[in-house]
Amino acid sequence: MKNNSQLSTFNSQLIMWYEENKRELPWRNTTDPYKIWISEIILQQTRVAQGYDYFVRFIERFPDVQTLAAANEDEVLKYWQGLGYYSRARNLHAAAKSMNGVFPSTYQEVINLKGVGEYTAAAICSISYGMAYAVVDGNVYRVLSRYFGIDTPIDSTEGKKIFKELAQELIDKEQPALYNQAIMEFGALQCTPASPNCTLCPVADGCLALANNTIKQLPAKQHKTKVTNRYFNYIYVRAGGCTFIKKRTGNDIWKNLFEFPLIETPEQISEEELYSSPEFQSLVGSDHLSVKLLLGNVKHVLSHRIIFANFYQVDLPDGKTLSNDYIRIKQEELEGYAISRLTQIFLEKNKS
Ligand code: SF4
């Protein structure tokens, strides 16, 4: 481990680098905790380039806690459409409703908000209130593990403790907001996962991973993320200019988003197998006018799942309807509902 003066040199080098290289982003011109909170939640699983427009649109429509709390959840989800990890939007909405119109001002209250963990609480409290809570996210793990040459797995209890303590020791108590933003930006732009810019790195002289040629191995992880395959057969039913959708419920992906009738199968099945399945038969009955596979073999990759999707089109006689589980809407009304990126892809392809 390095001594105090080396640690403070590392800090000032990072801050200097940040002041010269930081990106101008809309949430960097404010200390409003509400806006910092929204930006941090958006950026949790989203790249800045994608999150930027979502943040601007979201803040334009929901400029403060009161507006967000008063909104309808379906509308909040609609503004989140395409970002993925929809529990973030549901939690934001629930947390806004719990605030009684005022954003909390202590670390304990902030971390008690639904969907807020240690990282987000530290980001909000340091940036908005100048409190010296160090952030530890993927970027920070990467920078610290490489610079200090720490190979304790970041997903182990011991690793989490080591990195949390080190980050807290390193944070600049005088300017925690600046330091936290500097180390995260440094991880995002300079010390990147696959191609860190070591040649032009201000801390290269003290970087142990560079000296020991262990950059590729750090940060270390003990578990690989388990990915499961799922097989979705969507039935796009048309009848008299209308189609049918349903809100997803249960503890699963895309909760509370809308989608076409879905038949999920344990493995990929053929068109014939689908048409003769009891689920398909009970969904559309036998008096359909036509049925065809419209879009097949769509591979949609999420963080822990790969979805293999087929979209079928079934035309029914004009007045025909599905069971009460489904909402009958005009085709053009679909745009008003929050849907998954996968359904959006289908609609875009089906238009062209
Ligand atoms: S020298 Fe390379 S690995 Fe080390 S901190 Fe700089 S960019 Fe990261």
Side-chain angles (χ1 to χ4, degrees), residues 194-206:
S195 49
N197 185 0
C198 304
T199 332
L200 288 174
C201 175
V203 298
D205 281 353

Side-chain angles (χ1 to χ4, degrees), residues 29-240:
N29 305 320
T30 181
T31 53
D32 177 350
Y34 172 76
K35 292 186 179 135
I36 300 298
W37 174 52
I38 302 293
S39 72
E40 288 299 339
I41 299 291
I42 288 180
L43 293 178
Q44 267 171 20
Q45 316 278 353
T46 308
R47 285 171 297 108
V48 166
Q50 192 197 6
Y52 190 113
D53 289 345
Y54 277 89
F55 174 83
V56 172
R57 277 198 300 269
F58 200 91
I59 291 295
E60 221 167 75
R61 170 62 188 91
F62 311 109
D64 48 39
V65 171
Q66 296 91 324
T67 321
L68 181 57
N72 173 299
E73 189 190 84
D74 286 343
E75 193 190 0
V76 178
L77 285 171
K78 185 70 194 161
Y79 273 79
W80 209 264
Q81 183 173 297
L83 264 183
Y85 295 94
Y86 294 89
S87 57
R88 293 182 293 170
R90 291 191 299 270
N91 288 341
L92 272 181
H93 187 230
K97 284 166 104 173
S98 74
M99 287 180 201
N100 289 329
V102 184
F103 200 92
S105 58
T106 66
Y107 178 83
Q108 205 46 53
E109 286 170 318
V110 172
I111 204 170
N112 284 343
L113 293 173
K114 201 162 183 193
V116 170
E118 285 185 2
Y119 161 77
T120 312
I124 296 169
C125 290
S126 62
I127 298 170
S128 298
Y129 304 132
M131 296 178 186
Y133 286 96
V135 292
V136 185
D137 71 344
N139 287 319
V140 175
Y141 278 128
R142 190 165 56 255
V143 174
L144 296 185
S145 65
R146 287 177 177 171
Y147 183 77
F148 292 98
I150 305 170
D151 61 3
T152 315
I154 59 171
D155 54 348
S156 64
T157 313
E158 191 195 354
K160 284 185 182 132
K161 186 166 175 280
I162 289 175
F163 284 101
K164 190 178 166 187
E165 284 173 3
L166 175 59
Q168 197 54 42
E169 195 184 334
L170 279 166
I171 192 168
D172 187 325
K173 312 282 184 296
E174 300 302 314
Q175 36 190 3
L178 198 57
Y179 170 79
N180 272 344
Q181 292 179 91
I183 192 164
M184 287 192 286
E185 190 78 336
F186 186 80
L189 300 181
Q190 178 83 25
C191 192
T192 58
S195 49
N197 185 0
C198 304
T199 332
L200 288 174
C201 175
V203 298
D205 281 353
C207 177
L208 289 178
L210 182 65
N212 300 331
N213 200 18
T214 52
I215 293 171
K216 283 208 168 72
Q217 288 88 61
L218 297 174
K221 271 193 171 183
Q222 61 183 4
H223 296 302
K224 291 252 177 296
T225 310
K226 193 174 172 300
V227 176
T228 43
N229 293 343
R230 293 179 70 174
Y231 303 91
F232 284 10
N233 299 282
Y234 277 115
I235 321 294
Y236 172 47
V237 181
R238 306 192 306 177

Side-chain angles (χ1 to χ4, degrees), residues 7-26:
L7 297 185
S8 98
T9 311
F10 173 71
N11 277 4
S12 24
Q13 284 167 326
L14 278 192
I15 290 174
M16 257 161 60
W17 174 92
Y18 178 67
E19 286 179 330
E20 281 165 22
N21 296 284
K22 69 174 173 190
R23 293 165 288 184
E24 285 307 324
L25 299 169

